[in-house]
Amino acid sequence: MDINAAAKEYGNGIITSLKKNRRMLLMMLLIAAGMIFGAASVKKSDICLSGAFSDMFSVYIRSKGTQSLGVNFINSLAVNAAFMLAVFVFGLCAVGLPLICVLPVIRGVGIGMLSGYLYSNFALRGLGYCALVIYPGLIPAVFALLLACSAGINSSYEMLLSLSSAKAQRGEGSIKIYCMRFLIICILVVIAAVTDAAASRLFCKLFGF
């Protein structure tokens, strides 16, 4: 096989993979867009709004470093569970698809604002705080959100098709499969909360903001 044929086969493989995972790719792009918007909003905010951001994030960072392991775990779990619940409910609605697409943007805006605040105010120390304290628990949480949104979009689309009579009515088996997927995703959410609490306990003391 020559180089051109190998390159063409590799390119076709990438395209096929992207088509199969287009929902996940869309969710990743929405989160990235939210992060960019959130970081930009912190950087370009006026004095009053910047002061509000500073107060809010200062309280968040300070409380994260002083709270117990159990409290940090519960707080992290509550935030992630709220997103999972919203996606789950929207996935059971025929008109839930656009609402599901909004959630990754909201999550991304929060991540971008926090990261932007830490970097703009503390430079390398802020990046270090993100890398050691924020991101270890955030990465599995975001991955869980991506999986949940992908499953929710598929479920909502099937609901819409069934209502439009373009497809047979959805059976109990599909609902059970949807619920089982979310149970598995919830395990990842718990892992994310444990990781976040552990990272906070281990590394918050290294930073004095």
Side-chain angles (χ1 to χ4, degrees):
M1 183 181 294
D2 58 23
I3 295 177
N4 290 333
K8 184 176 180 180
E9 183 178 348
Y10 180 72
N12 290 335
I14 292 177
I15 293 173
T16 302
S17 178
L18 289 175
K19 287 181 178 179
K20 289 181 178 178
N21 299 283
R22 57 184 178 273
R23 284 193 297 270
M24 287 285 287
L25 181 62
L26 173 62
M27 294 301 103
M28 290 174 65
L29 290 175
L30 289 174
I31 285 182
M35 290 177 65
I36 294 171
F37 178 80
S41 66
V42 170
K43 186 176 181 179
K44 296 182 179 180
S45 59
D46 57 30
I47 296 176
C48 293
L49 196 58
S50 179
F53 285 151
S54 180
D55 292 341
M56 180 175 63
F57 291 131
S58 294
V59 171
Y60 170 79
I61 293 169
R62 187 165 55 250
S63 63
K64 199 169 181 64
T66 57
Q67 288 170 347
S68 66
L69 186 69
V71 172
N72 277 324
F73 169 78
I74 292 172
N75 288 341
S76 178
L77 186 63
V79 171
N80 295 326
F83 277 95
M84 293 299 109
L85 179 60
V87 176
F88 180 79
V89 172
F90 292 153
L92 295 176
C93 302
V95 294
L97 196 154
L99 298 174
I100 292 173
C101 291
V102 172
L103 294 174
V105 178
I106 295 174
R107 188 66 159 144
V109 168
I111 297 169
M113 289 177 66
L114 179 58
S115 301
Y117 167 78
L118 287 168
Y119 177 72
S120 61
N121 285 275
F122 306 107
L124 292 179
R125 277 198 305 155
L127 289 179
Y129 185 88
C130 288
L132 294 177
V133 179
I134 303 296
Y135 294 157
L138 192 61
I139 290 173
V142 168
F143 183 61
L145 180 62
L146 292 174
L147 293 175
C149 287
S150 180
I153 287 174
N154 185 62
S155 175
S156 179
Y157 183 65
E158 287 184 359
M159 286 282 189
L160 184 61
L161 288 179
S162 66
L163 289 178
S164 64
S165 300
K167 193 176 182 180
Q169 288 294 321
R170 198 175 186 194
E172 292 184 2
S174 297
I175 301 294
K176 288 181 179 178
I177 292 173
Y178 180 64
C179 293
M180 287 300 298
R181 286 176 180 171
F182 264 82
L183 284 176
I184 295 171
I185 293 171
C186 285
I187 295 174
L188 186 57
V189 169
V190 173
I191 293 173
V194 170
T195 304
D196 180 69
S200 299
R201 184 65 175 270
L202 291 172
F203 300 117
C204 274
K205 57 188 176 184
L206 300 179
F207 302 92
F209 295 137

